[in-house]
Amino acid sequence: MRCTMPQKPKRPCSKPGCRDLVDKHRYCKKHQRESDKRRGTSASRGYGHRWRLARDRYLAEHQLCVACMQSGTISAATVVDHIKAHKGNEVLFWSEANWQALCSSCHSRKTVQEDGGFGR
């Protein structure tokens, strides 16, 4: 007899009124496509090759998470965060004065506090 690990229970799709159950995604396949169309790709939102190069350079110069340092701890920065949301403003998007180096945990916390969650 082969033992298998119990699986995490499925949960309803996040689209109001949809009763489809999903494993690891927020939306069922039908509503995931709708969500993707609204948000667009990362490249269409400005996070293409040019951004990746700028991000890598910035993180090489700013290796520690500024939020962790403010709280007295030290963590490696892994994310370049826009301090003020650029909302498509290219000048604000590319202004390094509007960038800060954060660890993934601090960036997630900031995103939830400011936006109410990811991608909202």
Side-chain angles (χ1 to χ4, degrees):
M1 181 181 223
R2 186 175 175 205
C3 290
T4 58
M5 294 292 294
Q7 292 184 349
K8 188 175 179 181
K10 292 185 177 189
R11 59 186 195 284
C13 170
S14 291
K15 176 79 173 181
C18 182
R19 295 184 180 191
D20 288 351
L21 298 177
V22 296
D23 286 317
K24 55 188 171 188
H25 299 288
R26 187 164 178 215
Y27 295 100
C28 66
K29 288 182 181 179
K30 176 185 175 190
H31 296 117
Q32 182 66 46
R33 286 190 295 272
E34 291 174 11
S35 174
D36 290 346
K37 285 178 190 172
R38 278 193 311 273
R39 185 160 186 203
T41 65
S42 59
S44 72
R45 295 189 320 269
Y47 298 98
H49 180 71
R50 182 178 168 207
W51 168 255
R52 286 189 298 275
L53 292 175
R55 172 198 173 279
D56 290 345
R57 180 191 46 75
Y58 190 84
L59 288 175
E61 295 170 3
H62 305 86
Q63 297 180 7
L64 299 177
C65 172
V66 296
C68 286
M69 287 192 305
Q70 289 172 351
S71 67
T73 60
I74 295 178
S75 296
T78 57
V79 178
V80 176
D81 173 61
H82 290 93
I83 298 166
K84 180 179 179 190
H86 59 84
K87 299 186 181 191
N89 179 330
E90 225 172 287
V91 173
L92 197 55
F93 182 93
W94 289 107
S95 172
E96 288 192 33
N98 188 41
W99 296 356
Q100 64 181 345
L102 296 176
C103 66
S104 180
S105 177
C106 288
H107 184 259
S108 295
R109 191 176 307 112
K110 178 183 182 265
T111 301
V112 169
Q113 287 172 345
E114 291 182 358
D115 301 343
F118 293 94
R120 291 190 187 143

